[in-house]
Amino acid sequence: MDMRVLFVYRLETPRPAFRYARPLVRIYAQRGFMTPVMLRQLWSLIETTQATLLVNLDDATLVQWLLKQLKTNSALNGKEADLLDEYIQSRLCLIRDLAEQRLAPELL
């Protein structure tokens, strides 16, 4: 059989439906990945939060405040909260830099 014909046949063959399909968001969280929805919610919160608050809070307080805000807006399980905690801690410098950049025009 020609490989081109075999390849076309495989592309046209329908894929079987998953018997026990779970939401993709939960699968990502269970495997330790940040979901696109979680990332979008976090960065949206950071952009809408007052820059002075982001700059003035110490690291631990800022992480806890952001997590608290995200928990009130969406139902997070323990694994998702841990993922967000680690992600926020790894991005604190970026969060503060963005906040300071938003404050810069006000200082001029």
Side-chain angles (χ1 to χ4, degrees), residues 25-34 38 67 71 76-87:
V25 171
R26 295 290 177 206
I27 292 171
Y28 277 130
Q30 288 173 356
R31 293 185 181 166
F33 299 114
M34 291 287 296
M38 292 165 64
L67 281 174
K71 285 179 183 178
L76 297 176
N77 62 29
K79 180 87 172 184
E80 292 169 337
D82 291 341
L83 285 170
L84 277 168
D85 186 287
E86 291 176 21
Y87 182 80

Short mmCIF file of all heavy atoms in Angstrom, two decimals, residues 25-34 38 67 71 76-87:
data_model
loop_
_atom_site.label_atom_id
_atom_site.label_comp_id
_atom_site.label_asym_id
_atom_site.label_seq_id
_atom_site.Cartn_x
_atom_site.Cartn_y
_atom_site.Cartn_z
N VAL A 25 -9.44 21.59 31.89
CA VAL A 25 -8.89 22.45 32.95
C VAL A 25 -8.46 21.62 34.13
O VAL A 25 -7.38 21.80 34.68
CB VAL A 25 -9.93 23.51 33.37
CG1 VAL A 25 -9.48 24.26 34.59
CG2 VAL A 25 -10.21 24.45 32.21
N ARG A 26 -9.28 20.69 34.54
CA ARG A 26 -8.94 19.85 35.70
C ARG A 26 -7.77 18.92 35.39
O ARG A 26 -6.97 18.64 36.26
CB ARG A 26 -10.15 19.03 36.13
CG ARG A 26 -11.29 19.86 36.64
CD ARG A 26 -10.95 20.50 37.96
NE ARG A 26 -12.04 21.34 38.38
CZ ARG A 26 -11.90 22.38 39.17
NH1 ARG A 26 -10.72 22.71 39.61
NH2 ARG A 26 -12.94 23.10 39.52
N ILE A 27 -7.68 18.45 34.18
CA ILE A 27 -6.56 17.58 33.80
C ILE A 27 -5.26 18.36 33.89
O ILE A 27 -4.27 17.87 34.43
CB ILE A 27 -6.77 17.01 32.39
CG1 ILE A 27 -7.94 16.03 32.39
CG2 ILE A 27 -5.50 16.32 31.89
CD1 ILE A 27 -8.36 15.57 31.01
N TYR A 28 -5.24 19.59 33.39
CA TYR A 28 -4.04 20.41 33.49
C TYR A 28 -3.65 20.62 34.94
O TYR A 28 -2.50 20.51 35.32
CB TYR A 28 -4.25 21.79 32.85
CG TYR A 28 -4.05 21.82 31.36
CD1 TYR A 28 -5.01 22.38 30.54
CD2 TYR A 28 -2.90 21.32 30.78
CE1 TYR A 28 -4.84 22.43 29.16
CE2 TYR A 28 -2.72 21.37 29.41
CZ TYR A 28 -3.68 21.93 28.62
OH TYR A 28 -3.50 21.98 27.27
N ALA A 29 -4.62 20.94 35.79
CA ALA A 29 -4.34 21.22 37.19
C ALA A 29 -3.84 19.96 37.90
O ALA A 29 -2.94 20.04 38.74
CB ALA A 29 -5.58 21.76 37.88
N GLN A 30 -4.40 18.81 37.58
CA GLN A 30 -3.97 17.58 38.22
C GLN A 30 -2.55 17.22 37.84
O GLN A 30 -1.82 16.61 38.60
CB GLN A 30 -4.92 16.44 37.86
CG GLN A 30 -6.26 16.56 38.53
CD GLN A 30 -7.25 15.53 38.03
OE1 GLN A 30 -6.95 14.77 37.12
NE2 GLN A 30 -8.42 15.52 38.63
N ARG A 31 -2.14 17.57 36.65
CA ARG A 31 -0.79 17.25 36.20
C ARG A 31 0.22 18.31 36.58
O ARG A 31 1.40 18.17 36.30
CB ARG A 31 -0.79 17.04 34.69
CG ARG A 31 -1.56 15.82 34.29
CD ARG A 31 -1.46 15.56 32.84
NE ARG A 31 -2.24 14.38 32.50
CZ ARG A 31 -2.57 14.05 31.27
NH1 ARG A 31 -2.18 14.79 30.26
NH2 ARG A 31 -3.28 12.97 31.04
N GLY A 32 -0.21 19.39 37.16
CA GLY A 32 0.71 20.42 37.60
C GLY A 32 0.97 21.52 36.61
O GLY A 32 2.03 22.12 36.62
N PHE A 33 0.04 21.79 35.71
CA PHE A 33 0.18 22.85 34.73
C PHE A 33 -0.78 23.99 35.05
O PHE A 33 -1.88 23.76 35.53
CB PHE A 33 -0.14 22.36 33.32
CG PHE A 33 0.76 21.26 32.84
CD1 PHE A 33 0.27 20.00 32.62
CD2 PHE A 33 2.10 21.51 32.60
CE1 PHE A 33 1.09 18.99 32.17
CE2 PHE A 33 2.94 20.51 32.15
CZ PHE A 33 2.43 19.25 31.94
N MET A 34 -0.36 25.20 34.73
CA MET A 34 -1.25 26.34 34.83
C MET A 34 -2.16 26.32 33.60
O MET A 34 -1.69 26.19 32.49
CB MET A 34 -0.46 27.64 34.85
CG MET A 34 0.34 27.86 36.09
SD MET A 34 -0.70 28.29 37.49
CE MET A 34 -1.35 29.83 36.93
N MET A 38 -6.69 30.10 34.21
CA MET A 38 -6.07 30.55 35.45
C MET A 38 -5.09 31.69 35.18
O MET A 38 -5.06 32.69 35.91
CB MET A 38 -5.35 29.39 36.14
CG MET A 38 -6.28 28.32 36.68
SD MET A 38 -5.46 26.78 37.11
CE MET A 38 -4.39 27.26 38.42
N LEU A 67 -3.97 35.52 45.85
CA LEU A 67 -4.65 34.23 45.96
C LEU A 67 -6.06 34.38 46.53
O LEU A 67 -7.01 33.74 46.06
CB LEU A 67 -3.84 33.27 46.83
CG LEU A 67 -2.66 32.59 46.17
CD1 LEU A 67 -1.87 31.79 47.19
CD2 LEU A 67 -3.12 31.69 45.04
N LYS A 71 -9.46 33.32 44.68
CA LYS A 71 -10.36 32.33 45.29
C LYS A 71 -11.78 32.86 45.39
O LYS A 71 -12.73 32.10 45.26
CB LYS A 71 -9.85 31.93 46.68
CG LYS A 71 -8.67 31.01 46.64
CD LYS A 71 -8.20 30.66 48.04
CE LYS A 71 -6.97 29.78 48.00
NZ LYS A 71 -6.45 29.48 49.34
N LEU A 76 -11.28 27.52 43.42
CA LEU A 76 -9.99 26.86 43.24
C LEU A 76 -9.87 25.71 44.23
O LEU A 76 -10.24 25.85 45.39
CB LEU A 76 -8.83 27.83 43.50
CG LEU A 76 -8.68 29.03 42.58
CD1 LEU A 76 -7.54 29.91 43.09
CD2 LEU A 76 -8.42 28.59 41.17
N ASN A 77 -9.35 24.57 43.76
CA ASN A 77 -9.08 23.50 44.70
C ASN A 77 -7.68 23.69 45.26
O ASN A 77 -6.96 24.62 44.88
CB ASN A 77 -9.27 22.12 44.03
CG ASN A 77 -8.31 21.89 42.89
OD1 ASN A 77 -7.22 22.42 42.86
ND2 ASN A 77 -8.73 21.09 41.93
N GLY A 78 -7.26 22.82 46.16
CA GLY A 78 -5.96 22.96 46.81
C GLY A 78 -4.80 22.89 45.85
O GLY A 78 -3.83 23.65 45.97
N LYS A 79 -4.88 22.00 44.88
CA LYS A 79 -3.79 21.83 43.90
C LYS A 79 -3.65 23.09 43.04
O LYS A 79 -2.54 23.57 42.79
CB LYS A 79 -4.09 20.62 43.02
CG LYS A 79 -3.08 20.33 41.98
CD LYS A 79 -1.99 19.46 42.52
CE LYS A 79 -1.10 19.03 41.37
NZ LYS A 79 -0.09 18.12 41.78
N GLU A 80 -4.77 23.64 42.60
CA GLU A 80 -4.74 24.87 41.80
C GLU A 80 -4.19 26.04 42.60
O GLU A 80 -3.43 26.86 42.08
CB GLU A 80 -6.13 25.19 41.26
CG GLU A 80 -6.64 24.20 40.25
CD GLU A 80 -8.10 24.38 39.93
OE1 GLU A 80 -8.85 24.93 40.75
OE2 GLU A 80 -8.51 23.93 38.84
N ALA A 81 -4.58 26.13 43.87
CA ALA A 81 -4.08 27.20 44.72
C ALA A 81 -2.57 27.08 44.91
O ALA A 81 -1.85 28.09 44.88
CB ALA A 81 -4.79 27.18 46.07
N ASP A 82 -2.07 25.85 45.08
CA ASP A 82 -0.62 25.66 45.20
C ASP A 82 0.11 26.04 43.92
O ASP A 82 1.18 26.66 43.96
CB ASP A 82 -0.31 24.20 45.54
CG ASP A 82 -0.77 23.82 46.95
OD1 ASP A 82 -0.99 24.74 47.77
OD2 ASP A 82 -0.90 22.61 47.22
N LEU A 83 -0.48 25.67 42.77
CA LEU A 83 0.13 26.05 41.49
C LEU A 83 0.20 27.56 41.34
O LEU A 83 1.22 28.12 40.92
CB LEU A 83 -0.67 25.46 40.33
CG LEU A 83 -0.51 23.97 40.07
CD1 LEU A 83 -1.54 23.51 39.06
CD2 LEU A 83 0.88 23.68 39.58
N LEU A 84 -0.90 28.22 41.68
CA LEU A 84 -0.92 29.68 41.58
C LEU A 84 0.06 30.32 42.54
O LEU A 84 0.73 31.31 42.19
CB LEU A 84 -2.34 30.21 41.85
CG LEU A 84 -3.28 30.18 40.67
CD1 LEU A 84 -4.71 30.42 41.11
CD2 LEU A 84 -2.87 31.21 39.64
N ASP A 85 0.16 29.78 43.74
CA ASP A 85 1.10 30.30 44.73
C ASP A 85 2.52 30.25 44.19
O ASP A 85 3.25 31.26 44.23
CB ASP A 85 0.99 29.49 46.02
CG ASP A 85 1.82 30.07 47.14
OD1 ASP A 85 3.07 29.93 47.08
OD2 ASP A 85 1.25 30.64 48.08
N GLU A 86 2.92 29.10 43.65
CA GLU A 86 4.27 28.96 43.10
C GLU A 86 4.47 29.89 41.90
O GLU A 86 5.53 30.51 41.75
CB GLU A 86 4.52 27.52 42.66
CG GLU A 86 4.62 26.54 43.80
CD GLU A 86 4.76 25.11 43.32
OE1 GLU A 86 5.17 24.91 42.15
OE2 GLU A 86 4.45 24.20 44.10
N TYR A 87 3.47 29.97 41.05
CA TYR A 87 3.58 30.82 39.86
C TYR A 87 3.71 32.30 40.24
O TYR A 87 4.55 33.01 39.69
CB TYR A 87 2.37 30.61 38.96
CG TYR A 87 2.43 31.41 37.69
CD1 TYR A 87 3.18 30.97 36.61
CD2 TYR A 87 1.74 32.61 37.55
CE1 TYR A 87 3.26 31.70 35.43
CE2 TYR A 87 1.81 33.34 36.39
CZ TYR A 87 2.57 32.88 35.34
OH TYR A 87 2.64 33.62 34.19
#
